[in-house]
Amino acid sequence: MERRVEVLADQAALVNRALALILERVTTAIAQRGVFTIALAGGSTPKPLYEAIAQQNLAWDKIHVFWGDERYVPPDHPDSNEGMARQAWLNNVPIPVENLHPMPTDAADPIVAAERYEQQLQAFFHLAPGEFPVLDVVLLGIGDDGHTASLFPHTEALQVRDRLVTVGNKGGQPRITLTVPLINKARCILFLVTGANKQHALRQIFAPVGDEMQYPARLIQPAGELWWLLDAAAGEGIAV
Ligand code: 6PG
């Protein structure tokens, strides 16, 4: 589907818009399928959105939370995406513990952790071998280098097409990440981008022609909805 780009005045307006889009899809998913599934972005941008979601009165028992990527640290580590989402949102709502599906980071080998998460997804979504799950919403951010999730420029993770989960690599540091084909299966992908430091990457990602290996967010081309919510600082000068 064609990407939809919206430039919002500031972070608060971006959070409100993202929240509205998510709540619409929560309602639709639960009405149609009895469950809503979402994969969370890490980093700093989504934190105020997670805090806003925590203020909502939702059918928490019908909401299942996954992660799009994870730093290879324990959940109580300051860099943990799981830890950030729990602190900002999940510890503050009555969501059943079995509805939370964090990426494991306790195996000695990150490859084993990626395989375990893939098995968890296959079990939850009742997938046949080789089948990809369809998540209702995948939240993503971008780095100023054009990465998304833990799909970093010129890394092997960008090429993985036959797995649901793989090991990302940020300057030698292992990450666990959903793969490009899994992300692209989502019903709705929502990029949240704030800050002038993201302008250059955005221009390269939005350019009609470019290098997907250099700007991996270019690989995110879902059949479903593709939303880019930018604040004014990130969106300045971006043709929408
Ligand atoms: C992560 C994220 C990553 C993030 C971007 C943007 O684990 O860091 O999943 O892809 O979305 O790096 O991070 P900021 O929101 O902190 O700019």
Side-chain angles (χ1 to χ4, degrees):
M1 181 180 287
E2 193 53 35
R3 72 169 166 251
R4 283 176 273 197
V5 182
E6 294 187 4
V7 179
L8 291 305
D10 53 24
Q11 184 189 66
L14 184 147
V15 165
N16 289 336
R17 180 67 172 138
L19 180 63
L21 291 170
I22 291 168
L23 295 180
E24 285 168 11
R25 284 147 189 81
V26 170
T27 302
T28 300
I30 291 173
Q32 291 180 355
R33 291 175 294 278
V35 66
F36 172 75
T37 58
I38 184 168
L40 303 187
S44 56
T45 302
K47 186 172 180 182
L49 171 60
Y50 298 161
E51 291 166 344
I53 298 174
Q55 301 303 315
Q56 304 301 309
N57 182 18
L58 302 178
W60 294 113
D61 61 322
K62 296 181 174 62
I63 293 173
H64 282 262
V65 178
F66 301 84
W67 273 257
D69 73 316
E70 186 56 273
R71 292 85 181 271
Y72 210 65
V73 295
D76 59 357
H77 189 284
D79 290 350
S80 170
N81 290 336
E82 173 189 349
M84 184 273 277
R86 284 183 183 276
Q87 184 272 328
W89 166 15
L90 301 168
N91 290 348
N92 309 315
V93 297
I95 189 167
V97 63
E98 62 271 18
N99 288 28
L100 305 181
H101 309 273
M103 290 178 156
T105 58
D106 53 352
D109 183 346
I111 294 172
V112 170
E115 288 168 353
R116 282 185 191 154
Y117 202 59
E118 180 159 299
Q119 288 157 8
Q120 287 178 37
L121 292 170
Q122 288 169 330
F124 179 83
F125 288 97
H126 309 296
L127 302 175
E131 188 182 0
F132 286 85
V134 178
L135 289 157
D136 290 304
V137 172
V138 174
L139 297 179
L140 293 171
I142 60 166
D144 52 15
D145 61 354
H147 82 262
T148 191
S150 280
L151 301 164
F152 288 91
H154 302 295
T155 57
E156 289 177 19
L158 303 184
Q159 316 279 0
V160 176
R161 293 291 181 275
D162 60 348
R163 306 302 298 265
L164 308 183
V165 187
T166 194
V167 178
N169 177 336
K170 178 179 185 177
Q173 295 302 313
R175 299 278 191 92
I176 307 296
T177 187
L178 299 182
T179 58
V180 170
L182 191 163
I183 293 170
N184 280 335
K185 279 285 199 182
R187 290 188 179 88
C188 175
I189 290 175
L190 200 46
F191 277 97
L192 310 176
V193 185
T194 60
N197 63 312
K198 305 288 174 76
Q199 280 180 23
H200 173 73
L202 279 171
R203 272 193 284 276
Q204 305 301 322
I205 293 161
F206 288 174
V209 177
D211 179 355
E212 280 71 12
M213 295 300 108
Q214 183 63 52
Y215 296 97
R218 292 180 62 89
L219 293 166
I220 306 305
Q221 302 289 346
E225 297 179 272
L226 177 57
W227 293 83
W228 286 82
L229 301 185
L230 318 177
D231 74 352
E236 186 182 343
I238 299 286
V240 296

PDB file of all heavy atoms in Angstrom, residues 40-46 69-71 81 140-143 147-150 152 170 175 192 194 197-198, ligand 1:
ATOM      1  N   LEU A  40       6.392  -3.905  19.371  1.00  0.00           N
ATOM      2  CA  LEU A  40       6.835  -2.596  19.846  1.00  0.00           C
ATOM      3  C   LEU A  40       8.202  -2.219  19.300  1.00  0.00           C
ATOM      4  O   LEU A  40       9.078  -3.069  19.126  1.00  0.00           O
ATOM      5  CB  LEU A  40       6.891  -2.591  21.380  1.00  0.00           C
ATOM      6  CG  LEU A  40       5.600  -2.936  22.122  1.00  0.00           C
ATOM      7  CD1 LEU A  40       5.804  -2.722  23.615  1.00  0.00           C
ATOM      8  CD2 LEU A  40       4.415  -2.152  21.606  1.00  0.00           C
ATOM      9  N   ALA A  41       8.364  -0.920  19.085  1.00  0.00           N
ATOM     10  CA  ALA A  41       9.676  -0.374  18.757  1.00  0.00           C
ATOM     11  C   ALA A  41      10.396  -0.049  20.059  1.00  0.00           C
ATOM     12  O   ALA A  41       9.766   0.183  21.099  1.00  0.00           O
ATOM     13  CB  ALA A  41       9.538   0.897  17.919  1.00  0.00           C
ATOM     14  N   GLY A  42      11.689  -0.017  19.983  1.00  0.00           N
ATOM     15  CA  GLY A  42      12.492   0.368  21.135  1.00  0.00           C
ATOM     16  C   GLY A  42      13.005   1.780  20.955  1.00  0.00           C
ATOM     17  O   GLY A  42      12.405   2.592  20.245  1.00  0.00           O
ATOM     18  N   GLY A  43      14.120   2.073  21.616  1.00  0.00           N
ATOM     19  CA  GLY A  43      14.661   3.424  21.544  1.00  0.00           C
ATOM     20  C   GLY A  43      13.860   4.371  22.433  1.00  0.00           C
ATOM     21  O   GLY A  43      13.074   3.946  23.282  1.00  0.00           O
ATOM     22  N   SER A  44      14.023   5.668  22.188  1.00  0.00           N
ATOM     23  CA  SER A  44      13.411   6.673  23.061  1.00  0.00           C
ATOM     24  C   SER A  44      12.115   7.258  22.515  1.00  0.00           C
ATOM     25  O   SER A  44      11.229   7.648  23.274  1.00  0.00           O
ATOM     26  CB  SER A  44      14.409   7.817  23.275  1.00  0.00           C
ATOM     27  OG  SER A  44      14.795   8.332  22.006  1.00  0.00           O
ATOM     28  N   THR A  45      11.975   7.296  21.184  1.00  0.00           N
ATOM     29  CA  THR A  45      10.817   7.982  20.590  1.00  0.00           C
ATOM     30  C   THR A  45       9.478   7.448  21.086  1.00  0.00           C
ATOM     31  O   THR A  45       8.573   8.223  21.409  1.00  0.00           O
ATOM     32  CB  THR A  45      10.894   7.928  19.052  1.00  0.00           C
ATOM     33  OG1 THR A  45      12.116   8.526  18.624  1.00  0.00           O
ATOM     34  CG2 THR A  45       9.708   8.646  18.415  1.00  0.00           C
ATOM     35  N   PRO A  46       9.307   6.114  21.152  1.00  0.00           N
ATOM     36  CA  PRO A  46       7.955   5.619  21.478  1.00  0.00           C
ATOM     37  C   PRO A  46       7.557   5.767  22.945  1.00  0.00           C
ATOM     38  O   PRO A  46       6.379   5.561  23.280  1.00  0.00           O
ATOM     39  CB  PRO A  46       8.002   4.151  21.095  1.00  0.00           C
ATOM     40  CG  PRO A  46       9.394   3.791  20.774  1.00  0.00           C
ATOM     41  CD  PRO A  46      10.239   5.010  20.846  1.00  0.00           C
ATOM     42  N   ASP A  69      12.268  -5.620  18.134  1.00  0.00           N
ATOM     43  CA  ASP A  69      13.688  -5.919  18.297  1.00  0.00           C
ATOM     44  C   ASP A  69      14.089  -5.708  19.751  1.00  0.00           C
ATOM     45  O   ASP A  69      13.342  -5.133  20.542  1.00  0.00           O
ATOM     46  CB  ASP A  69      14.562  -5.082  17.361  1.00  0.00           C
ATOM     47  CG  ASP A  69      14.653  -3.623  17.786  1.00  0.00           C
ATOM     48  OD1 ASP A  69      13.621  -3.045  18.149  1.00  0.00           O
ATOM     49  OD2 ASP A  69      15.757  -3.068  17.761  1.00  0.00           O
ATOM     50  N   GLU A  70      15.263  -6.216  20.068  1.00  0.00           N
ATOM     51  CA  GLU A  70      15.724  -6.122  21.456  1.00  0.00           C
ATOM     52  C   GLU A  70      17.255  -6.089  21.489  1.00  0.00           C
ATOM     53  O   GLU A  70      17.925  -6.796  20.726  1.00  0.00           O
ATOM     54  CB  GLU A  70      15.228  -7.298  22.273  1.00  0.00           C
ATOM     55  CG  GLU A  70      15.544  -7.215  23.772  1.00  0.00           C
ATOM     56  CD  GLU A  70      15.022  -5.943  24.429  1.00  0.00           C
ATOM     57  OE1 GLU A  70      15.748  -4.938  24.394  1.00  0.00           O
ATOM     58  OE2 GLU A  70      13.888  -5.961  24.934  1.00  0.00           O
ATOM     59  N   ARG A  71      17.749  -5.235  22.379  1.00  0.00           N
ATOM     60  CA  ARG A  71      19.182  -5.256  22.635  1.00  0.00           C
ATOM     61  C   ARG A  71      19.457  -6.532  23.429  1.00  0.00           C
ATOM     62  O   ARG A  71      18.602  -6.999  24.193  1.00  0.00           O
ATOM     63  CB  ARG A  71      19.571  -4.039  23.448  1.00  0.00           C
ATOM     64  CG  ARG A  71      19.430  -2.713  22.679  1.00  0.00           C
ATOM     65  CD  ARG A  71      17.994  -2.159  22.749  1.00  0.00           C
ATOM     66  NE  ARG A  71      17.851  -0.915  22.016  1.00  0.00           N
ATOM     67  CZ  ARG A  71      18.064   0.290  22.532  1.00  0.00           C
ATOM     68  NH1 ARG A  71      18.511   0.384  23.764  1.00  0.00           N
ATOM     69  NH2 ARG A  71      17.903   1.373  21.813  1.00  0.00           N
ATOM     70  N   ASN A  81      14.719  -2.748  25.631  1.00  0.00           N
ATOM     71  CA  ASN A  81      13.451  -2.270  25.057  1.00  0.00           C
ATOM     72  C   ASN A  81      12.269  -2.828  25.852  1.00  0.00           C
ATOM     73  O   ASN A  81      11.256  -2.156  26.050  1.00  0.00           O
ATOM     74  CB  ASN A  81      13.342  -2.669  23.588  1.00  0.00           C
ATOM     75  CG  ASN A  81      14.317  -1.899  22.714  1.00  0.00           C
ATOM     76  OD1 ASN A  81      14.747  -0.800  23.078  1.00  0.00           O
ATOM     77  ND2 ASN A  81      14.666  -2.459  21.577  1.00  0.00           N
ATOM     78  N   LEU A 140       7.609   1.113  14.511  1.00  0.00           N
ATOM     79  CA  LEU A 140       9.023   1.185  14.140  1.00  0.00           C
ATOM     80  C   LEU A 140       9.538   2.606  14.313  1.00  0.00           C
ATOM     81  O   LEU A 140       8.768   3.581  14.258  1.00  0.00           O
ATOM     82  CB  LEU A 140       9.218   0.766  12.673  1.00  0.00           C
ATOM     83  CG  LEU A 140       8.944  -0.700  12.325  1.00  0.00           C
ATOM     84  CD1 LEU A 140       8.972  -0.894  10.817  1.00  0.00           C
ATOM     85  CD2 LEU A 140       9.935  -1.640  13.009  1.00  0.00           C
ATOM     86  N   GLY A 141      10.830   2.701  14.526  1.00  0.00           N
ATOM     87  CA  GLY A 141      11.506   3.990  14.473  1.00  0.00           C
ATOM     88  C   GLY A 141      12.609   3.876  13.436  1.00  0.00           C
ATOM     89  O   GLY A 141      12.770   2.821  12.803  1.00  0.00           O
ATOM     90  N   ILE A 142      13.340   4.942  13.223  1.00  0.00           N
ATOM     91  CA  ILE A 142      14.549   4.857  12.389  1.00  0.00           C
ATOM     92  C   ILE A 142      15.698   5.511  13.128  1.00  0.00           C
ATOM     93  O   ILE A 142      15.510   6.478  13.877  1.00  0.00           O
ATOM     94  CB  ILE A 142      14.390   5.532  11.001  1.00  0.00           C
ATOM     95  CG1 ILE A 142      14.075   7.022  11.136  1.00  0.00           C
ATOM     96  CG2 ILE A 142      13.377   4.801  10.135  1.00  0.00           C
ATOM     97  CD1 ILE A 142      14.252   7.801   9.830  1.00  0.00           C
ATOM     98  N   GLY A 143      16.878   4.987  12.896  1.00  0.00           N
ATOM     99  CA  GLY A 143      18.068   5.666  13.392  1.00  0.00           C
ATOM    100  C   GLY A 143      18.493   6.724  12.399  1.00  0.00           C
ATOM    101  O   GLY A 143      17.990   6.764  11.264  1.00  0.00           O
ATOM    102  N   HIS A 147      18.604   2.857   9.827  1.00  0.00           N
ATOM    103  CA  HIS A 147      18.198   1.511  10.276  1.00  0.00           C
ATOM    104  C   HIS A 147      16.789   1.571  10.828  1.00  0.00           C
ATOM    105  O   HIS A 147      16.271   2.627  11.207  1.00  0.00           O
ATOM    106  CB  HIS A 147      19.180   0.956  11.318  1.00  0.00           C
ATOM    107  CG  HIS A 147      18.953   1.438  12.715  1.00  0.00           C
ATOM    108  ND1 HIS A 147      19.664   2.478  13.278  1.00  0.00           N
ATOM    109  CD2 HIS A 147      18.095   1.012  13.670  1.00  0.00           C
ATOM    110  CE1 HIS A 147      19.253   2.666  14.516  1.00  0.00           C
ATOM    111  NE2 HIS A 147      18.308   1.796  14.777  1.00  0.00           N
ATOM    112  N   THR A 148      16.166   0.378  10.909  1.00  0.00           N
ATOM    113  CA  THR A 148      14.897   0.253  11.609  1.00  0.00           C
ATOM    114  C   THR A 148      14.890  -1.091  12.318  1.00  0.00           C
ATOM    115  O   THR A 148      15.620  -2.005  11.929  1.00  0.00           O
ATOM    116  CB  THR A 148      13.704   0.394  10.642  1.00  0.00           C
ATOM    117  OG1 THR A 148      12.489   0.515  11.403  1.00  0.00           O
ATOM    118  CG2 THR A 148      13.598  -0.779   9.686  1.00  0.00           C
ATOM    119  N   ALA A 149      14.096  -1.207  13.366  1.00  0.00           N
ATOM    120  CA  ALA A 149      14.193  -2.363  14.256  1.00  0.00           C
ATOM    121  C   ALA A 149      15.679  -2.541  14.578  1.00  0.00           C
ATOM    122  O   ALA A 149      16.355  -1.566  14.904  1.00  0.00           O
ATOM    123  CB  ALA A 149      13.533  -3.592  13.639  1.00  0.00           C
ATOM    124  N   SER A 150      16.197  -3.771  14.430  1.00  0.00           N
ATOM    125  CA  SER A 150      17.655  -3.905  14.548  1.00  0.00           C
ATOM    126  C   SER A 150      18.240  -4.395  13.229  1.00  0.00           C
ATOM    127  O   SER A 150      19.088  -5.288  13.162  1.00  0.00           O
ATOM    128  CB  SER A 150      18.033  -4.826  15.710  1.00  0.00           C
ATOM    129  OG  SER A 150      17.948  -4.106  16.945  1.00  0.00           O
ATOM    130  N   PHE A 152      20.387  -3.145  10.673  1.00  0.00           N
ATOM    131  CA  PHE A 152      21.384  -2.093  10.499  1.00  0.00           C
ATOM    132  C   PHE A 152      22.029  -2.158   9.126  1.00  0.00           C
ATOM    133  O   PHE A 152      22.042  -3.224   8.489  1.00  0.00           O
ATOM    134  CB  PHE A 152      22.442  -2.189  11.615  1.00  0.00           C
ATOM    135  CG  PHE A 152      21.903  -1.765  12.950  1.00  0.00           C
ATOM    136  CD1 PHE A 152      21.326  -2.707  13.813  1.00  0.00           C
ATOM    137  CD2 PHE A 152      21.926  -0.437  13.337  1.00  0.00           C
ATOM    138  CE1 PHE A 152      20.798  -2.313  15.037  1.00  0.00           C
ATOM    139  CE2 PHE A 152      21.400  -0.036  14.557  1.00  0.00           C
ATOM    140  CZ  PHE A 152      20.830  -0.979  15.407  1.00  0.00           C
ATOM    141  N   LYS A 170      24.694  -4.356  15.713  1.00  0.00           N
ATOM    142  CA  LYS A 170      24.954  -2.918  15.762  1.00  0.00           C
ATOM    143  C   LYS A 170      26.404  -2.730  16.217  1.00  0.00           C
ATOM    144  O   LYS A 170      26.700  -2.838  17.415  1.00  0.00           O
ATOM    145  CB  LYS A 170      24.000  -2.198  16.713  1.00  0.00           C
ATOM    146  CG  LYS A 170      24.324  -0.696  16.777  1.00  0.00           C
ATOM    147  CD  LYS A 170      23.405   0.088  17.677  1.00  0.00           C
ATOM    148  CE  LYS A 170      23.719   1.578  17.591  1.00  0.00           C
ATOM    149  NZ  LYS A 170      22.779   2.394  18.418  1.00  0.00           N
ATOM    150  N   ARG A 175      21.856  -8.029  18.504  1.00  0.00           N
ATOM    151  CA  ARG A 175      20.480  -7.657  18.757  1.00  0.00           C
ATOM    152  C   ARG A 175      19.607  -8.827  18.283  1.00  0.00           C
ATOM    153  O   ARG A 175      20.038  -9.628  17.459  1.00  0.00           O
ATOM    154  CB  ARG A 175      20.105  -6.413  17.929  1.00  0.00           C
ATOM    155  CG  ARG A 175      20.922  -5.148  18.212  1.00  0.00           C
ATOM    156  CD  ARG A 175      20.393  -4.448  19.417  1.00  0.00           C
ATOM    157  NE  ARG A 175      20.919  -3.107  19.638  1.00  0.00           N
ATOM    158  CZ  ARG A 175      20.353  -1.984  19.193  1.00  0.00           C
ATOM    159  NH1 ARG A 175      19.279  -2.044  18.446  1.00  0.00           N
ATOM    160  NH2 ARG A 175      20.857  -0.796  19.487  1.00  0.00           N
ATOM    161  N   LEU A 192       7.387   6.058  13.748  1.00  0.00           N
ATOM    162  CA  LEU A 192       7.347   7.283  14.547  1.00  0.00           C
ATOM    163  C   LEU A 192       8.738   7.886  14.496  1.00  0.00           C
ATOM    164  O   LEU A 192       9.718   7.244  14.883  1.00  0.00           O
ATOM    165  CB  LEU A 192       6.985   6.959  16.000  1.00  0.00           C
ATOM    166  CG  LEU A 192       5.754   6.067  16.228  1.00  0.00           C
ATOM    167  CD1 LEU A 192       5.592   5.777  17.712  1.00  0.00           C
ATOM    168  CD2 LEU A 192       4.513   6.703  15.661  1.00  0.00           C
ATOM    169  N   THR A 194      11.018  11.470  15.210  1.00  0.00           N
ATOM    170  CA  THR A 194      11.114  12.857  15.707  1.00  0.00           C
ATOM    171  C   THR A 194      12.570  13.309  15.649  1.00  0.00           C
ATOM    172  O   THR A 194      13.498  12.500  15.757  1.00  0.00           O
ATOM    173  CB  THR A 194      10.639  12.968  17.178  1.00  0.00           C
ATOM    174  OG1 THR A 194      11.468  12.128  17.985  1.00  0.00           O
ATOM    175  CG2 THR A 194       9.177  12.543  17.320  1.00  0.00           C
ATOM    176  N   ASN A 197      17.674  15.407  13.499  1.00  0.00           N
ATOM    177  CA  ASN A 197      18.783  14.494  13.155  1.00  0.00           C
ATOM    178  C   ASN A 197      18.332  13.340  12.266  1.00  0.00           C
ATOM    179  O   ASN A 197      19.163  12.598  11.735  1.00  0.00           O
ATOM    180  CB  ASN A 197      19.445  13.949  14.430  1.00  0.00           C
ATOM    181  CG  ASN A 197      18.484  13.117  15.259  1.00  0.00           C
ATOM    182  OD1 ASN A 197      17.359  13.542  15.513  1.00  0.00           O
ATOM    183  ND2 ASN A 197      18.894  11.919  15.657  1.00  0.00           N
ATOM    184  N   LYS A 198      17.026  13.195  12.095  1.00  0.00           N
ATOM    185  CA  LYS A 198      16.521  12.102  11.249  1.00  0.00           C
ATOM    186  C   LYS A 198      16.223  12.577   9.816  1.00  0.00           C
ATOM    187  O   LYS A 198      15.872  11.792   8.946  1.00  0.00           O
ATOM    188  CB  LYS A 198      15.243  11.518  11.866  1.00  0.00           C
ATOM    189  CG  LYS A 198      15.372  11.048  13.319  1.00  0.00           C
ATOM    190  CD  LYS A 198      16.195   9.759  13.447  1.00  0.00           C
ATOM    191  CE  LYS A 198      16.440   9.370  14.879  1.00  0.00           C
ATOM    192  NZ  LYS A 198      15.281   8.773  15.566  1.00  0.00           N
TER     193      LYS A 198
HETATM  194  C1  6PG B   1      16.134   0.154  19.089  1.00  0.00           C
HETATM  195  C2  6PG B   1      15.008   0.441  18.159  1.00  0.00           C
HETATM  196  C3  6PG B   1      15.543   1.206  16.997  1.00  0.00           C
HETATM  197  C4  6PG B   1      14.971   2.596  17.186  1.00  0.00           C
HETATM  198  C5  6PG B   1      15.796   3.601  16.443  1.00  0.00           C
HETATM  199  C6  6PG B   1      15.369   5.019  16.824  1.00  0.00           C
HETATM  200  O1  6PG B   1      16.201  -0.950  19.644  1.00  0.00           O
HETATM  201  O2  6PG B   1      16.916   1.104  19.281  1.00  0.00           O
HETATM  202  O3  6PG B   1      14.150  -0.473  17.912  1.00  0.00           O
HETATM  203  O4  6PG B   1      15.229   0.732  15.729  1.00  0.00           O
HETATM  204  O5  6PG B   1      13.628   2.633  16.746  1.00  0.00           O
HETATM  205  O6  6PG B   1      17.154   3.404  16.777  1.00  0.00           O
HETATM  206  O7  6PG B   1      15.681   5.195  18.186  1.00  0.00           O
HETATM  207  P1  6PG B   1      15.240   6.554  18.929  1.00  0.00           P
HETATM  208  O8  6PG B   1      13.754   6.513  19.022  1.00  0.00           O
HETATM  209  O9  6PG B   1      15.917   6.446  20.272  1.00  0.00           O
HETATM  210  O10 6PG B   1      15.750   7.687  18.063  1.00  0.00           O
END
